[in-house]
């Protein structure tokens, strides 16, 4: 039996079953190919009936990544009877060497005749008599007991999940993915808040070989562990860039590149029914991310722009990238098209009026249309 607890979904009141169903659906997709009897919604939890030890590592590996899960454990199930529970605890303890221990009981079933403190003491005694020293302040192992409605669960190891909300419970967003360190982390932060994400990458094909193109696909593959299905739009940017370079002074190109990316992102959002954009911006990190420039860039977006890393330091972002598993791929060499033909001293205090003035000489409707039409849509 695998018992899964969620955190925030528990606070959802009347909408709870909607979130619970999403979580159950996502768990079902993530466990594809593994054997289990059922996934059921229990009282503030999800219970998977599966053979205790079969594919345990694989279940664990997949489940611990699913947004919405607070923690989970592989449970020994017992009748709601204290003598039975003693037997099960003894059996469970046989997998471990005696060491300093504690018993920690959670009593969701208020009809159970003993309080949680009493259960801790009664069960603790059983192990204590067999030479296990009790240590409530700094135990080496904690045997947890959960008194549910119809049965009790016993376990020794709690597996932490990512928390957050189930993917698909909070709308759909288009994430602009550059191939760098930041944007995959930004996409992940929004996935974890329950958004389902469509990925969008712009590349300059004179710069990009198949190997480097594959890098972005690999990043999406890593992010796909957290979301059942993922789609990646690869949009060629070369012609647009050429048109921009012909008209826009190098100092302003970065800003215009990014504004045009947003213009195309608006169109993609329309196609896929998304109602927001995600970027990896972090305030002041590079020239394109000063407050003035972000203001001018974001003005081009039709939907709200979410930049969940805006208040994080680079090192914090790097740590998150390592944690979610994208870092190693993100640091592979790759030339982001944004860095092409830009000034060594780009504008850091753009104002909308001058940028619009410069852009008025830019006729790229055809190129924008063409880029979108020749976009490669990859199902990852
Ligand atoms: P990252 O680490 O995400 O590449 P960065 O610090 O290099 O970010 P910029 O290059 O200024 O910063 O890019 C800022 C944001 O613009 C990125 O996080 C991403 O959301 C978007 N972006 C930049 N280049 C591209 C691209 N080629 N395709 C799609 N989005 C891009
Ligand atoms: Mg970048």
């Amino acid at each position: 039996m695998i018992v899964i607890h969620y955190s925030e979904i528990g606070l959802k009141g009347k909408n709870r079953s909607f979130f619970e169903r999403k979580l159950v659906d996502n768990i079902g997709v993530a466990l594809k190919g593994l054997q289990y009897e059922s996934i059921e919604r229990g009282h503030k939890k999800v219970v998977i009936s599966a053979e205790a030890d079969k594919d345990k590592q694989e279940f664990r590996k997949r489940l611990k990544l699913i947004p919405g899960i607070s923690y989970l454990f592989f449970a020994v199930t017992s009748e709601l009877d204290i003598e039975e529970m003693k037997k099960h605890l003894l059996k469970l303890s046989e997998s471990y060497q005696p060491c300093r221990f504690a018993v920690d009981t959670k009593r969701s079933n208020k009809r159970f005749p003993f309080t949680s403190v009493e259960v801790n003491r009664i069960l603790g005694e059983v192990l204590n008599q067999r030479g296990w020293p009790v240590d409530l302040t700094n135990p080496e192992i904690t045997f947890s007991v959960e008194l549910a409605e119809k049965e009790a669960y016993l376990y020794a190891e709690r597996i932490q999940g990512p928390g957050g909300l189930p993917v698909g419970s909070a709308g759909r967003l288009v994430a602009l993915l550059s191939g760098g360190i930041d944007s995959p982390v930004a996409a992940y932060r929004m996935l974890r808040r329950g958004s389902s994400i469509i990925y969008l990458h712009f590349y300059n094909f004179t710069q990009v070989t198949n190997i480097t193109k594959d890098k972005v696909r690999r990043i999406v593959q890593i992010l796909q562990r957290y979301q059942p299905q993922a789609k990646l739009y690869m949009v060629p940017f070369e012609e647009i860039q050429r048109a921009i370079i012909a008209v826009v002074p190098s100092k302003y190109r970065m800003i215009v590149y990014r504004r045009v990316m947003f213009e195309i992102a608006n169109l993609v959002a329309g196609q896929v029914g998304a109602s927001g954009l995600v970027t990896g911006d972090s305030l002041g990190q590079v020239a394109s991310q000063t407050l003035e420039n972000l203001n001018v860039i974001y003005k081009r977006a039709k939907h709200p722009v979410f930049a969940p890393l805006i208040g994080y330091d680079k090192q914090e972002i790097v740590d998150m990238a390592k944690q979610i598993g994208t870092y190693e791929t993100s640091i592979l060499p790759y030339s982001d098209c944004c860095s092409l033909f830009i000034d060594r001293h780009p504008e850091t205090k753009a104002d909308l009026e001058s940028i619009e003035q410069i852009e008025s000489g830019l006729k790229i409707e055809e190129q924008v249309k063409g880029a979108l039409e020749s976009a490669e849509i990859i199902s990852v």
Side-chain angles (χ1 to χ4, degrees), residues 38-63:
S38 61
I39 307 177
E40 279 167 50
R41 289 198 275 147
H43 179 69
K44 293 199 176 182
K45 59 181 168 284
V46 174
V47 178
I48 303 176
S49 302
E51 242 177 83
D53 287 326
K54 198 159 179 293
D55 296 328
K56 194 168 173 177
Q57 288 314 320
E58 195 57 32
F59 272 109
R60 176 198 176 104
K61 199 173 110 193
R62 297 192 201 177
L63 288 170

Side-chain angles (χ1 to χ4, degrees), residues 306-318:
F306 299 108
L309 308 182
I310 200 72
Y312 285 96
D313 290 355
K314 189 72 188 187
Q315 188 56 47
E316 291 170 312
I317 299 169
V318 164

Side-chain angles (χ1 to χ4, degrees), residues 63-136:
L63 288 170
K64 67 186 290 207
L65 301 179
I66 300 177
I69 293 181
S70 166
Y71 65 92
L72 63 120
F73 52 84
F74 292 86
V76 173
T77 318
S78 164
E79 277 174 48
L80 279 172
D81 173 276
I82 197 81
E83 291 307 317
E84 283 298 310
M85 286 158 59
K86 283 184 189 173
K87 279 189 219 155
H88 284 292
L89 177 66
L90 267 178
K91 187 104 195 346
L92 180 62
S93 71
E94 281 166 10
S95 311
Y96 304 90
Q97 289 297 326
C99 57
R100 288 178 283 110
F101 83 103
V103 178
D104 179 29
T105 302
K106 196 170 129 194
R107 182 167 164 257
S108 331
N109 180 345
K110 302 294 177 208
R111 295 185 307 275
F112 193 73
F114 301 100
T115 65
S116 48
V117 176
E118 285 166 342
V119 176
N120 291 345
R121 192 178 43 74
I122 296 167
L123 293 183
E125 239 167 50
V126 176
L127 291 187
N128 191 231
Q129 281 161 4
R130 283 168 176 75
W132 288 66
V134 175
D135 185 343
L136 300 184

Side-chain angles (χ1 to χ4, degrees), residues 178-183 285 289 336 338:
S178 67
I181 296 170
D182 306 337
S183 41
Q285 194 194 81
Q289 297 169 15
D336 183 9
C338 247

Side-chain angles (χ1 to χ4, degrees), residues 9 44 54-55 219 267 277 354:
I9 301 176
K44 293 199 176 182
K54 198 159 179 293
D55 296 328
I219 290 176
L267 299 172
L277 308 180
S354 357

